[in-house]
Amino acid sequence: MENLCYQLMLKTKFILIFILVLAFALRFWQLGNVPISPDWYEASLAYNAYSIATTGKDEYGNFLPTTLKSFGDYKPALYAYLAIPSIMLFDVTTFAVRFPSVALGVLSVLLTFLLVKELFKNEKIALLSAFVLAISPWHIQFSRTAFEANLGVFLNILTAYLFVKGLKRPYLLFVSAITSGLSVYAYQSEKIFAPLFMLSLVLIFRKELSEI
C-alpha cells in the first residue's frame, strides 16, 4: 500500500514537472523576438528599471518611485523593480525586460496546482487546472510581454493560496494580506480588485476563520 502511494506521488510529480517545463517552453521560446520589437510600454519599464538600478531615480528624477509617470500613463512601479536583476544581467534588452514575466507566468502555473489541490484535495483536478493555464493562449501572451497584468494575476493567485493555507497556519493570513497589498503596486485595476478579492475570501471562508 505504501509502495502504491509512493508511485502515485511520484507520478504526480513527474506530470507536474512536465507541465511546468511545457509552460516555460511556451513562454520562453524566442522571447526577445516574439512578439517582434518591444512596445512603448516595455521600453518604458526597461528604461526606468535601468535608471532606478543605476541612480535610484526614475526618468523624471523621482527617488525610488512607487508610480512611474512614463508617457503620462502613471503605471505602478513594482514590475520595474522586479525587472532590475535581469536588466543588470542581460543589459537593457527586450529579453531582459520580458524575462520576469516568464518567471511569473510559470510560477502562476505552479501556484494554480497548489491552490486547487488545497481547495479540492484532488491532484487530478489540480494537474488539469495547471495544464489548462500552462497552455492558455491569453496567459501565454501576457507571460511573454512585460505587462503588469501578469504580475497582478500572479499576486492574486499567491494571495488566495496563502489565505487558504492560513486557515491552518494563521500567520500565513498576514503574509496573504501583504501580497494583496503588494498587488496594488502591480497593476492599476488591483486598487479596486484587491480589496474586493480579500473581502470575498473572508466571506467565503468566514466559518473557518471564526474557528481560528
PDB file of all heavy atoms in Angstrom, residues 154-175:
ATOM      1  N   PHE A 154      -0.419  36.832 -10.899  1.00  0.00           N
ATOM      2  CA  PHE A 154       0.450  36.031 -10.019  1.00  0.00           C
ATOM      3  C   PHE A 154       0.191  36.351  -8.550  1.00  0.00           C
ATOM      4  O   PHE A 154       0.032  35.446  -7.721  1.00  0.00           O
ATOM      5  CB  PHE A 154       1.911  36.295 -10.369  1.00  0.00           C
ATOM      6  CG  PHE A 154       2.881  35.784  -9.333  1.00  0.00           C
ATOM      7  CD1 PHE A 154       3.186  34.435  -9.248  1.00  0.00           C
ATOM      8  CD2 PHE A 154       3.477  36.664  -8.430  1.00  0.00           C
ATOM      9  CE1 PHE A 154       4.052  33.957  -8.271  1.00  0.00           C
ATOM     10  CE2 PHE A 154       4.349  36.205  -7.464  1.00  0.00           C
ATOM     11  CZ  PHE A 154       4.639  34.848  -7.376  1.00  0.00           C
ATOM     12  N   LEU A 155       0.147  37.627  -8.218  1.00  0.00           N
ATOM     13  CA  LEU A 155      -0.058  38.023  -6.823  1.00  0.00           C
ATOM     14  C   LEU A 155      -1.451  37.642  -6.325  1.00  0.00           C
ATOM     15  O   LEU A 155      -1.619  37.297  -5.151  1.00  0.00           O
ATOM     16  CB  LEU A 155       0.174  39.525  -6.672  1.00  0.00           C
ATOM     17  CG  LEU A 155       1.635  39.977  -6.786  1.00  0.00           C
ATOM     18  CD1 LEU A 155       1.736  41.499  -6.798  1.00  0.00           C
ATOM     19  CD2 LEU A 155       2.474  39.404  -5.640  1.00  0.00           C
ATOM     20  N   ASN A 156      -2.445  37.668  -7.204  1.00  0.00           N
ATOM     21  CA  ASN A 156      -3.792  37.261  -6.803  1.00  0.00           C
ATOM     22  C   ASN A 156      -3.850  35.774  -6.475  1.00  0.00           C
ATOM     23  O   ASN A 156      -4.470  35.363  -5.488  1.00  0.00           O
ATOM     24  CB  ASN A 156      -4.801  37.581  -7.907  1.00  0.00           C
ATOM     25  CG  ASN A 156      -5.032  39.070  -8.069  1.00  0.00           C
ATOM     26  OD1 ASN A 156      -4.886  39.835  -7.118  1.00  0.00           O
ATOM     27  ND2 ASN A 156      -5.386  39.490  -9.265  1.00  0.00           N
ATOM     28  N   ILE A 157      -3.223  34.960  -7.311  1.00  0.00           N
ATOM     29  CA  ILE A 157      -3.198  33.513  -7.052  1.00  0.00           C
ATOM     30  C   ILE A 157      -2.417  33.227  -5.774  1.00  0.00           C
ATOM     31  O   ILE A 157      -2.820  32.406  -4.947  1.00  0.00           O
ATOM     32  CB  ILE A 157      -2.588  32.753  -8.242  1.00  0.00           C
ATOM     33  CG1 ILE A 157      -3.396  32.986  -9.513  1.00  0.00           C
ATOM     34  CG2 ILE A 157      -2.531  31.250  -7.936  1.00  0.00           C
ATOM     35  CD1 ILE A 157      -2.765  32.390 -10.759  1.00  0.00           C
ATOM     36  N   LEU A 158      -1.284  33.919  -5.608  1.00  0.00           N
ATOM     37  CA  LEU A 158      -0.471  33.739  -4.401  1.00  0.00           C
ATOM     38  C   LEU A 158      -1.246  34.158  -3.158  1.00  0.00           C
ATOM     39  O   LEU A 158      -1.205  33.471  -2.123  1.00  0.00           O
ATOM     40  CB  LEU A 158       0.814  34.557  -4.525  1.00  0.00           C
ATOM     41  CG  LEU A 158       1.780  34.496  -3.327  1.00  0.00           C
ATOM     42  CD1 LEU A 158       2.214  33.062  -3.048  1.00  0.00           C
ATOM     43  CD2 LEU A 158       2.986  35.390  -3.568  1.00  0.00           C
ATOM     44  N   THR A 159      -1.967  35.255  -3.248  1.00  0.00           N
ATOM     45  CA  THR A 159      -2.777  35.728  -2.128  1.00  0.00           C
ATOM     46  C   THR A 159      -3.820  34.679  -1.731  1.00  0.00           C
ATOM     47  O   THR A 159      -4.004  34.368  -0.545  1.00  0.00           O
ATOM     48  CB  THR A 159      -3.486  37.049  -2.488  1.00  0.00           C
ATOM     49  OG1 THR A 159      -2.509  38.077  -2.659  1.00  0.00           O
ATOM     50  CG2 THR A 159      -4.463  37.470  -1.404  1.00  0.00           C
ATOM     51  N   ALA A 160      -4.513  34.134  -2.733  1.00  0.00           N
ATOM     52  CA  ALA A 160      -5.542  33.120  -2.462  1.00  0.00           C
ATOM     53  C   ALA A 160      -4.927  31.869  -1.835  1.00  0.00           C
ATOM     54  O   ALA A 160      -5.476  31.307  -0.875  1.00  0.00           O
ATOM     55  CB  ALA A 160      -6.273  32.765  -3.749  1.00  0.00           C
ATOM     56  N   TYR A 161      -3.785  31.433  -2.356  1.00  0.00           N
ATOM     57  CA  TYR A 161      -3.134  30.230  -1.826  1.00  0.00           C
ATOM     58  C   TYR A 161      -2.699  30.430  -0.378  1.00  0.00           C
ATOM     59  O   TYR A 161      -2.946  29.576   0.491  1.00  0.00           O
ATOM     60  CB  TYR A 161      -1.933  29.864  -2.687  1.00  0.00           C
ATOM     61  CG  TYR A 161      -1.139  28.702  -2.143  1.00  0.00           C
ATOM     62  CD1 TYR A 161      -1.693  27.426  -2.088  1.00  0.00           C
ATOM     63  CD2 TYR A 161       0.156  28.877  -1.667  1.00  0.00           C
ATOM     64  CE1 TYR A 161      -0.974  26.351  -1.571  1.00  0.00           C
ATOM     65  CE2 TYR A 161       0.880  27.814  -1.152  1.00  0.00           C
ATOM     66  CZ  TYR A 161       0.310  26.557  -1.109  1.00  0.00           C
ATOM     67  OH  TYR A 161       1.011  25.504  -0.584  1.00  0.00           O
ATOM     68  N   LEU A 162      -2.065  31.562  -0.097  1.00  0.00           N
ATOM     69  CA  LEU A 162      -1.610  31.845   1.264  1.00  0.00           C
ATOM     70  C   LEU A 162      -2.796  31.978   2.224  1.00  0.00           C
ATOM     71  O   LEU A 162      -2.720  31.559   3.381  1.00  0.00           O
ATOM     72  CB  LEU A 162      -0.769  33.120   1.277  1.00  0.00           C
ATOM     73  CG  LEU A 162       0.599  33.033   0.595  1.00  0.00           C
ATOM     74  CD1 LEU A 162       1.234  34.413   0.505  1.00  0.00           C
ATOM     75  CD2 LEU A 162       1.511  32.070   1.348  1.00  0.00           C
ATOM     76  N   PHE A 163      -3.883  32.565   1.731  1.00  0.00           N
ATOM     77  CA  PHE A 163      -5.079  32.726   2.563  1.00  0.00           C
ATOM     78  C   PHE A 163      -5.646  31.362   2.949  1.00  0.00           C
ATOM     79  O   PHE A 163      -5.966  31.120   4.118  1.00  0.00           O
ATOM     80  CB  PHE A 163      -6.129  33.551   1.820  1.00  0.00           C
ATOM     81  CG  PHE A 163      -7.309  33.940   2.668  1.00  0.00           C
ATOM     82  CD1 PHE A 163      -7.340  35.173   3.299  1.00  0.00           C
ATOM     83  CD2 PHE A 163      -8.386  33.079   2.840  1.00  0.00           C
ATOM     84  CE1 PHE A 163      -8.419  35.541   4.094  1.00  0.00           C
ATOM     85  CE2 PHE A 163      -9.471  33.434   3.632  1.00  0.00           C
ATOM     86  CZ  PHE A 163      -9.480  34.672   4.258  1.00  0.00           C
ATOM     87  N   VAL A 164      -5.775  30.476   1.955  1.00  0.00           N
ATOM     88  CA  VAL A 164      -6.334  29.149   2.222  1.00  0.00           C
ATOM     89  C   VAL A 164      -5.417  28.358   3.161  1.00  0.00           C
ATOM     90  O   VAL A 164      -5.888  27.697   4.091  1.00  0.00           O
ATOM     91  CB  VAL A 164      -6.557  28.385   0.899  1.00  0.00           C
ATOM     92  CG1 VAL A 164      -6.980  26.942   1.174  1.00  0.00           C
ATOM     93  CG2 VAL A 164      -7.612  29.082   0.054  1.00  0.00           C
ATOM     94  N   LYS A 165      -4.115  28.433   2.934  1.00  0.00           N
ATOM     95  CA  LYS A 165      -3.162  27.764   3.826  1.00  0.00           C
ATOM     96  C   LYS A 165      -3.209  28.383   5.220  1.00  0.00           C
ATOM     97  O   LYS A 165      -2.972  27.712   6.227  1.00  0.00           O
ATOM     98  CB  LYS A 165      -1.746  27.862   3.264  1.00  0.00           C
ATOM     99  CG  LYS A 165      -1.512  27.079   1.988  1.00  0.00           C
ATOM    100  CD  LYS A 165      -1.561  25.572   2.221  1.00  0.00           C
ATOM    101  CE  LYS A 165      -0.356  25.072   2.974  1.00  0.00           C
ATOM    102  NZ  LYS A 165      -0.349  23.586   3.097  1.00  0.00           N
ATOM    103  N   GLY A 166      -3.512  29.689   5.266  1.00  0.00           N
ATOM    104  CA  GLY A 166      -3.561  30.392   6.539  1.00  0.00           C
ATOM    105  C   GLY A 166      -4.697  29.946   7.440  1.00  0.00           C
ATOM    106  O   GLY A 166      -4.690  30.229   8.643  1.00  0.00           O
ATOM    107  N   LEU A 167      -5.675  29.251   6.876  1.00  0.00           N
ATOM    108  CA  LEU A 167      -6.767  28.730   7.692  1.00  0.00           C
ATOM    109  C   LEU A 167      -6.263  27.652   8.657  1.00  0.00           C
ATOM    110  O   LEU A 167      -6.878  27.391   9.687  1.00  0.00           O
ATOM    111  CB  LEU A 167      -7.869  28.157   6.797  1.00  0.00           C
ATOM    112  CG  LEU A 167      -8.523  29.156   5.833  1.00  0.00           C
ATOM    113  CD1 LEU A 167      -9.514  28.439   4.934  1.00  0.00           C
ATOM    114  CD2 LEU A 167      -9.201  30.294   6.596  1.00  0.00           C
ATOM    115  N   LYS A 168      -5.119  27.047   8.306  1.00  0.00           N
ATOM    116  CA  LYS A 168      -4.499  26.043   9.176  1.00  0.00           C
ATOM    117  C   LYS A 168      -3.241  26.604   9.856  1.00  0.00           C
ATOM    118  O   LYS A 168      -2.878  26.163  10.946  1.00  0.00           O
ATOM    119  CB  LYS A 168      -4.129  24.806   8.354  1.00  0.00           C
ATOM    120  CG  LYS A 168      -5.330  24.082   7.752  1.00  0.00           C
ATOM    121  CD  LYS A 168      -4.890  22.887   6.931  1.00  0.00           C
ATOM    122  CE  LYS A 168      -6.092  22.175   6.320  1.00  0.00           C
ATOM    123  NZ  LYS A 168      -5.671  21.031   5.457  1.00  0.00           N
ATOM    124  N   ARG A 169      -2.626  27.565   9.193  1.00  0.00           N
ATOM    125  CA  ARG A 169      -1.445  28.221   9.756  1.00  0.00           C
ATOM    126  C   ARG A 169      -1.714  29.722   9.756  1.00  0.00           C
ATOM    127  O   ARG A 169      -1.366  30.417   8.793  1.00  0.00           O
ATOM    128  CB  ARG A 169      -0.203  27.891   8.922  1.00  0.00           C
ATOM    129  CG  ARG A 169       0.088  26.395   8.844  1.00  0.00           C
ATOM    130  CD  ARG A 169       1.266  26.113   7.944  1.00  0.00           C
ATOM    131  NE  ARG A 169       1.518  24.687   7.806  1.00  0.00           N
ATOM    132  CZ  ARG A 169       2.475  24.162   7.031  1.00  0.00           C
ATOM    133  NH1 ARG A 169       3.249  24.972   6.307  1.00  0.00           N
ATOM    134  NH2 ARG A 169       2.642  22.864   6.968  1.00  0.00           N
ATOM    135  N   PRO A 170      -2.314  30.238  10.813  1.00  0.00           N
ATOM    136  CA  PRO A 170      -2.808  31.619  10.855  1.00  0.00           C
ATOM    137  C   PRO A 170      -1.796  32.702  10.482  1.00  0.00           C
ATOM    138  O   PRO A 170      -2.195  33.743   9.941  1.00  0.00           O
ATOM    139  CB  PRO A 170      -3.260  31.773  12.315  1.00  0.00           C
ATOM    140  CG  PRO A 170      -3.667  30.392  12.715  1.00  0.00           C
ATOM    141  CD  PRO A 170      -2.675  29.494  12.031  1.00  0.00           C
ATOM    142  N   TYR A 171      -0.510  32.480  10.725  1.00  0.00           N
ATOM    143  CA  TYR A 171       0.471  33.509  10.385  1.00  0.00           C
ATOM    144  C   TYR A 171       0.510  33.778   8.882  1.00  0.00           C
ATOM    145  O   TYR A 171       0.886  34.872   8.442  1.00  0.00           O
ATOM    146  CB  TYR A 171       1.863  33.115  10.901  1.00  0.00           C
ATOM    147  CG  TYR A 171       2.533  31.998  10.145  1.00  0.00           C
ATOM    148  CD1 TYR A 171       3.382  32.270   9.070  1.00  0.00           C
ATOM    149  CD2 TYR A 171       2.333  30.669  10.499  1.00  0.00           C
ATOM    150  CE1 TYR A 171       4.002  31.246   8.372  1.00  0.00           C
ATOM    151  CE2 TYR A 171       2.938  29.639   9.818  1.00  0.00           C
ATOM    152  CZ  TYR A 171       3.782  29.931   8.753  1.00  0.00           C
ATOM    153  OH  TYR A 171       4.395  28.920   8.054  1.00  0.00           O
ATOM    154  N   LEU A 172       0.080  32.796   8.085  1.00  0.00           N
ATOM    155  CA  LEU A 172       0.073  32.980   6.634  1.00  0.00           C
ATOM    156  C   LEU A 172      -1.034  33.938   6.187  1.00  0.00           C
ATOM    157  O   LEU A 172      -0.967  34.479   5.081  1.00  0.00           O
ATOM    158  CB  LEU A 172      -0.087  31.633   5.923  1.00  0.00           C
ATOM    159  CG  LEU A 172       1.130  30.703   5.987  1.00  0.00           C
ATOM    160  CD1 LEU A 172       0.818  29.371   5.310  1.00  0.00           C
ATOM    161  CD2 LEU A 172       2.347  31.348   5.320  1.00  0.00           C
ATOM    162  N   LEU A 173      -2.032  34.145   7.031  1.00  0.00           N
ATOM    163  CA  LEU A 173      -3.066  35.126   6.709  1.00  0.00           C
ATOM    164  C   LEU A 173      -2.463  36.523   6.630  1.00  0.00           C
ATOM    165  O   LEU A 173      -2.845  37.339   5.781  1.00  0.00           O
ATOM    166  CB  LEU A 173      -4.182  35.093   7.759  1.00  0.00           C
ATOM    167  CG  LEU A 173      -5.035  33.825   7.803  1.00  0.00           C
ATOM    168  CD1 LEU A 173      -5.984  33.870   8.990  1.00  0.00           C
ATOM    169  CD2 LEU A 173      -5.823  33.668   6.499  1.00  0.00           C
ATOM    170  N   PHE A 174      -1.508  36.790   7.507  1.00  0.00           N
ATOM    171  CA  PHE A 174      -0.809  38.070   7.495  1.00  0.00           C
ATOM    172  C   PHE A 174       0.019  38.211   6.225  1.00  0.00           C
ATOM    173  O   PHE A 174       0.047  39.263   5.590  1.00  0.00           O
ATOM    174  CB  PHE A 174       0.079  38.193   8.726  1.00  0.00           C
ATOM    175  CG  PHE A 174       0.895  39.454   8.767  1.00  0.00           C
ATOM    176  CD1 PHE A 174       0.291  40.689   8.987  1.00  0.00           C
ATOM    177  CD2 PHE A 174       2.261  39.411   8.569  1.00  0.00           C
ATOM    178  CE1 PHE A 174       1.047  41.856   9.011  1.00  0.00           C
ATOM    179  CE2 PHE A 174       3.026  40.566   8.600  1.00  0.00           C
ATOM    180  CZ  PHE A 174       2.406  41.798   8.819  1.00  0.00           C
ATOM    181  N   VAL A 175       0.700  37.130   5.839  1.00  0.00           N
ATOM    182  CA  VAL A 175       1.508  37.143   4.612  1.00  0.00           C
ATOM    183  C   VAL A 175       0.600  37.344   3.404  1.00  0.00           C
ATOM    184  O   VAL A 175       0.948  38.058   2.458  1.00  0.00           O
ATOM    185  CB  VAL A 175       2.315  35.836   4.464  1.00  0.00           C
ATOM    186  CG1 VAL A 175       3.203  35.894   3.222  1.00  0.00           C
ATOM    187  CG2 VAL A 175       3.182  35.598   5.700  1.00  0.00           C
TER     188      VAL A 175
END
